[in-house]
Structure formats: C-alpha cells, structure tokens
Amino acid sequence: MSTGSGAASAPAPTTPESTRKSSMFSSLRIRNYRLFFAGQVVSNTGTWMQRIAQDWLVLSLTGSATAVGVTTALQFLPMLLFGLYGGVLVDRLPKRPTLLVTQSAMALTGLALAFLTLTGHVQVWHVYLAALAVGLATVVDNPARQTFVSEMVGPAQLQNAVSLNSANFQSARLVGPAVAGLMITGVGTGWAFLFNGLSFVAPIAGLLLMRSRELHTVERAPRGKGQLREGLRYVADRPDLIWTIVLVGFVSTFGFNFPVYLSAFADDVFHAGAGSYSLFNTLMAVGSLAGALLAARRGTARMRVLVVGAVAFGVLELVASAAPSLWLFALLMIPIGMFGMTVNVTANSSVQMSTDPAMRGRVMSLYMMVFMGGAPLGAPIAGWITDAYGVRAGLAAGGAVAAAAAVVIGLVLARVGNLRLSVGWHRGHPVVRFVPRERERERVAAAA
C-alpha cells in the first residue's frame, strides 16, 4: 500500500493493477464479491427499516425518548465492551462459516420481533432483548465482514470493494427509512421487522453460492493465550495504524454527532421542524454516497487523502456552524457527508491493506470499536456544549477539534516517516503533498 505518509510500516506489495486508478465498479467483476454485494443491498435496506421501526415501536410502547436511547445503547454497548474479543475470535475462525452463523442469528432476531409484534404480544423488554442480541452478534459479524472483503477480492481491489460497501450502506440509508415510514404508516411496524428478517436470505444465499477455490484464503491465528494483548501491541508498534485509528477516534467522537446538531439546527435555529431535519439527513446521505463512489475510483488509500479529508470535514463544519440561512446549511450537508465518508473509507481500507492478515480481525475490531463507539461517547459532550452555549458553538467546537486533530496527526506521521510538506504547482493547479526529506535535498542540490 502507498500510504503517502511514509510512516514506518510494512506496505502491501504494489502491482501495476493496484497503482493505477481503478474503475468505479471494478471489484464487481469478481463473482464472489458480486454475490456478497447483492446480498448486502437487500440486507442493509432491511437493517435500516428495522432501525426506524424499532425506535418507533419503543416510542409508541413507552412514550419515552429515554427508552429509545436505551434501545440504541443496548445495540452498541456489546461492541464497546467485547469488540476486541470478537476480533480475536475472527482471527481464529474461518470467515464464511462465521458469517453464516451471525447473519442467521440476526435474521432470527428480526423474525422473532415480527412474530411478537404482528400477534400483539410485544413488550418493550422484548425489543431491548432483541437489540442486545443484535449487538452481541455484531461483535463478531462486523470484523468478520470487514476482513472477509479482502479474502473475496484480494489486495488489488480492496480499496474499491471497501468503497462500494460504503456506497451500498449509504444507498440503503436513503431507501430503507423511506420504505420503513411507508410500511409503518400503511401496515404497521411488524411488517418492517418481517422484511428485515427475510432480507437475510439474500446474504446467506450469497455466502452459500460462493466458490471457495476463488477466495484469497489467509492463515488463521492458532488458539493461544495473550492474543488480545498481542493485537494491541501490534497496533502500538505501528505508527501508521495507531495514528490513523486515533484520527478516526477524534473525528467520530467530536465531528459525527449529527443527531444532536441537526435536530437542534432544524428546531432551535431555523424553527423549521421535522421536515428540515429529514432534509439535512437526506442531503448528508447523498454526499456520503458520492464520497464512497469517488473513493471507489481511487486505486490506493493514501494517508494524505485521509488527513486532507479530515481537515476539510472539520473546516466545513465550522463554516456550517455560521450558516445564516436554512438552505445554505442544508447544501453544506452534501460536502460534509462526502468528506466524512472519504475519511471513513480511506482509513478503513488503509488499515486493512497495511495489516498482517493474521492480525486483521483484531486490528479491525479495534478500529470499529473506536469508530462506532466515538459518537455515543461524544454525544453527551456535544449535548452539554449545545445546551450551555448553543448549537452553533457545539458544531463549531466539533469541527475545530476534528480539523486540529487532522493537522497534528498529519504532522506527526510526516515526522515519523521523515517527510516534509511540499507545496507547489502542477499544470496550473496547487499541489500539496508530503515528500521524503532526502528526495527534497537531492532536488535542491540538483537545482543549485
């Protein structure tokens, strides 16, 4: 992998195929990945439908927003508590059979909720239990899915496949809630749960239809003591990994608290109600989808793209915090979503590509813990700043922290890799990049 940072790492071998810019959908030429992708299209839509239906059902059963928050916490808490242990298991287990088990477990959860709701026996503790069960399955399912991508497509197409996975998820984010809304108002929440449960047939069928001989199999880690500590030491000894994960932590903790910010802007700043809140989320999803598709065209995951994307994301949040009108604020959601997705995709693929396959499950579980756990930890901070100083100050603070963290970590990585910042012009356009100090000295000496 070419990181662009020169950090002390063991980059993946580079081939002509991996260095040139890929087509936007090049990884879909691989049969096994096509089956996986098609299954995820259906399943992701069902997942988003269940999220909406689950929150609506809890609210209708209890009338309490706190109860909705408890449901969300139960679904994400297992990843925070047990995510690293899930990574250890994933490194030991074969990925495809593991995914068949976790996907089946989540399907049964959706079907159980559908049965209870459609028969009129559902109680709020049933929903709590279902959310916890999905969260526990996710502890293993998430790192298994992340690492299985490399086994399906190989290193040359990994960046493209990770980007298309993100585009897939964002497309479902646009379609799923809309379909769920129509289904809930038309026939009730139980049918949304039923659709989600049945939607897992698609990814399970895709996994069963894959050709094992076409997978890029990797050696599994043997069962042994101290594997969790071994994974943490591995990350700690790799500046390119640890600083990438730290940057993702800052951005997700302080910059991704959009449920807090967008609802407050819609209600308190622009006094426009739920329709505007929905518009903000939709436009951000459009930007995220565009960011994922643009990332799919890049052949490699460069560290400079990650750092510049994080800086742009933070700066755009600062600009949005001062937006004087609703429509300007709404339009800014598109580039904010695009650069936020650029950070996510670039960090995800660079961490996977530069990690030893035997360690990938543990490293990706740590990455997902930081990424998914950042927003729940940062939401109370964002809420406190918003309540005390106003939502504009809250969004500005989040953007400032994200941008400052990106600048500092970019400089740290440059120093670790013995790089310097080079600013120049190429064909009439400004070019900002990190270059090795030795190469720069040779260039200056040659010019003299």
Side-chain angles (χ1 to χ4, degrees), residues 42 107 111 193-202:
V42 180
L111 293 174
F193 295 137
L194 181 62
F195 181 93
N196 179 55
L198 295 176
S199 74
F200 284 96
V201 171

Side-chain angles (χ1 to χ4, degrees), residues 244 247-248 302-311 342-343 346-347 350:
T244 297
L247 177 55
V248 167
R302 297 183 180 275
M303 196 62 69
R304 70 186 182 203
V305 174
L306 173 62
V307 172
V308 171
V311 171
T342 297
V343 172
T346 306
S350 67

